[in-house]
Amino acid sequence: MSAARSLYPSPRTLEVESVAGFDRLVAAGARSMHGWHVQSLDLRGRRTQLEALEAQGAVFLGCRFDQGVEDLLRGRGALIFPRLTAVPFNPYRGQLYTPQELYAGIAASPYEDTLDARVYQWSIRPGQRRRLDATLAAALHDHSIGVALDELAGTYLRAGRTMVGVMGGHIARRGTAVFEEAALLGRMLARSGRVVATGGGPGAMEAANLGAFLSEAPEPDFRRALADLAAVPSFRPSVSAWARAAAAVAQRHPEGMPSLGIPTWFYGHEPPNFFATHVAKYFANAIREAILLELCNGGIFFLPGSGGTVQEIFQDACENYYAAPETVTPMVLVGYEHWLRRFPAWPLLQSLASGRRMEGRIFLVDSVAEALEALER
């Protein structure tokens, strides 16, 4: 059973995410389900237990019951959200995704048959974003992902581990120096005990998650992985080939280290990478962006990127600009040429930070090695 606080929790809320967890609560002597959020459980065969518990204030999300139990619970004050069978995902899921779940069947079938692709195709149907049932299902799903992500972040916080973001462009191709640098950064961050978090997509994001995933692997294995991935440099023209190359690397390293990816179906044409072991995939991109920046309490690295990365720089800068002194987090821009000339974000960031507490927490460096040194300072 998982008991976790949501992003905006009631102090008495319990997220009940497994039948075993429900049984443990009952065996421990629970008399009331007030504040329980019971998510997507098959509770058939538990009529006696449910009848014995006070139901006022309980919330059941997509659960299954013996005949007559649902009406009984609703009549005694429980709030019951029905199972939504017309959508290709579970709006009430109690945990984050894994790459293996999103890409299930990729070894034998094309990407278009995977869960990830089917959910994306559902999300872009004409008029879908204006349909009440579709928007409700997506909102419930994103809430459930937020609760599960908050639980994961709390686990790391209690363990004294900081989360560090690595932002960068999705177009960085495998086999390039940019991809290798991002992988080295993820590897070094994970080896230093930090948790790596990315936008969960391809390019620099995949590289950083790869580096974290293989942070404990010997150097030859790390280099072999880079070489094997380089055989399929991009997810274009074939997401299937791109994902299969990554799956083969991941399967050789079942002991891969954990990291976080937070992608979105809003940009569903960019597939999630296979090396973020915890995947918090959202429908709402604005929520996804805000949560990703909020979670990175150990600072953020900004590798070369374009529109999306520039947006993330100044979204993070805005939060630091108005933050209380103790909550300002480091910002490290990597790449002189990129951030001074191609996209001159650094001069504007300097001007914005001038005279503020964040002024001493922003850095411009030209290499990954310097980037880690800046964060240490």
Side-chain angles (χ1 to χ4, degrees):
M1 187 275 295
S2 172
R5 293 176 180 267
S6 69
L7 292 177
Y8 303 100
S10 161
R12 297 184 61 188
T13 296
L14 283 176
E15 305 292 337
V16 185
E17 299 165 354
S18 71
V19 173
F22 175 86
D23 290 341
R24 283 196 292 270
L25 287 170
V26 173
R31 297 182 178 180
S32 170
M33 295 184 289
H34 184 84
W36 290 18
H37 290 179
V38 187
Q39 296 179 227
S40 195
L41 302 188
D42 187 346
L43 295 174
R44 291 175 296 181
R46 285 167 175 76
R47 175 190 292 269
T48 302
Q49 295 92 321
L50 290 166
E51 288 178 342
L53 292 163
E54 294 179 19
Q56 181 70 38
V59 179
F60 293 88
L61 304 161
C63 294
R64 304 180 73 176
F65 305 96
D66 291 319
Q67 186 173 1
V69 172
E70 182 174 335
D71 291 338
L72 173 70
L73 293 172
R74 187 178 287 112
R76 291 165 57 194
L79 180 61
I80 299 179
F81 287 80
R83 297 173 65 227
L84 301 177
T85 57
V87 298
F89 57 90
N90 179 4
Y92 311 117
R93 60 180 298 115
Q95 61 279 324
L96 300 179
Y97 291 100
T98 65
Q100 290 75 17
E101 180 182 4
L102 291 172
Y103 283 109
I106 191 65
S109 302
Y111 169 71
E112 288 73 19
D113 292 343
T114 65
L115 173 63
D116 187 67
R118 287 187 284 110
V119 174
Y120 176 53
Q121 289 303 315
W122 173 88
S123 74
I124 61 173
R125 288 177 185 169
Q128 191 79 303
R129 298 185 189 278
R130 295 188 297 274
R131 289 172 54 94
L132 178 60
D133 56 346
T135 54
L136 177 61
L140 289 168
H141 170 276
D142 284 2
H143 169 78
S144 297
I145 290 294
V147 172
L149 183 55
D150 198 49
E151 179 180 359
L152 177 69
T155 299
Y156 287 129
L157 186 63
R158 289 189 292 274
R161 298 185 65 188
T162 58
M163 192 171 292
V164 176
V166 179
M167 313 299 174
H170 70 274
I171 61 173
R173 293 166 66 88
R174 296 166 173 173
T176 64
V178 172
F179 189 91
E180 181 177 333
E181 284 281 291
L184 287 170
L185 177 60
R187 183 170 163 88
M188 289 190 295
L189 287 170
R191 284 188 161 188
S192 70
R194 297 173 173 91
V195 180
V196 173
T198 78
M205 295 172 281
E206 179 190 38
N209 286 128
L210 167 69
F213 184 78
L214 296 180
S215 57
E216 297 300 317
E219 184 71 13
D221 290 353
F222 175 63
R223 293 294 168 182
R224 179 189 172 188
L226 289 173
D228 288 351
L229 292 173
V232 187
S234 173
F235 61 93
R236 294 190 178 101
S238 172
V239 176
S240 301
W242 179 84
R244 286 169 187 152
V249 171
Q251 287 168 4
R252 284 205 308 268
H253 299 277
E255 75 291 349
M257 294 296 104
S259 68
L260 174 65
I262 309 184
T264 172
W265 277 293
F266 185 80
Y267 296 135
H269 56 285
E270 297 178 13
N273 75 68
F274 218 97
F275 300 109
T277 56
H278 299 88
V279 183
K281 192 153 191 178
Y282 285 87
F283 287 100
N285 183 55
I287 295 175
R288 165 253 191 176
E289 291 274 8
I291 289 176
L292 176 55
L293 295 174
E294 178 186 340
L295 287 177
C296 295
N297 56 357
I300 300 178
F301 292 90
F302 298 94
L303 300 173
S306 53
T309 310
V310 171
Q311 174 191 334
E312 289 159 349
I313 288 173
F314 290 104
Q315 190 171 345
D316 192 33
C318 183
E319 294 186 9
N320 278 331
Y321 186 89
Y322 291 109
E326 64 274 11
T327 62
V328 174
T329 54
M331 302 176 64
V332 185
L333 277 60
V334 184
Y336 287 163
E337 177 68 26
H338 194 85
W339 297 121
L340 283 174
R341 296 174 184 83
R342 185 176 183 190
F343 295 108
W346 176 249
L348 180 54
L349 183 60
Q350 277 188 306
S351 298
L352 188 68
S354 180
R356 310 287 296 192
R357 182 60 65 96
M358 65 182 286
E359 185 174 19
R361 309 300 297 278
I362 63 171
F363 307 92
L364 174 66
V365 300
D366 205 32
S367 71
V368 162
E370 293 177 276
L372 196 57
E373 291 174 8
L375 190 65
E376 298 288 355
R377 293 201 302 271

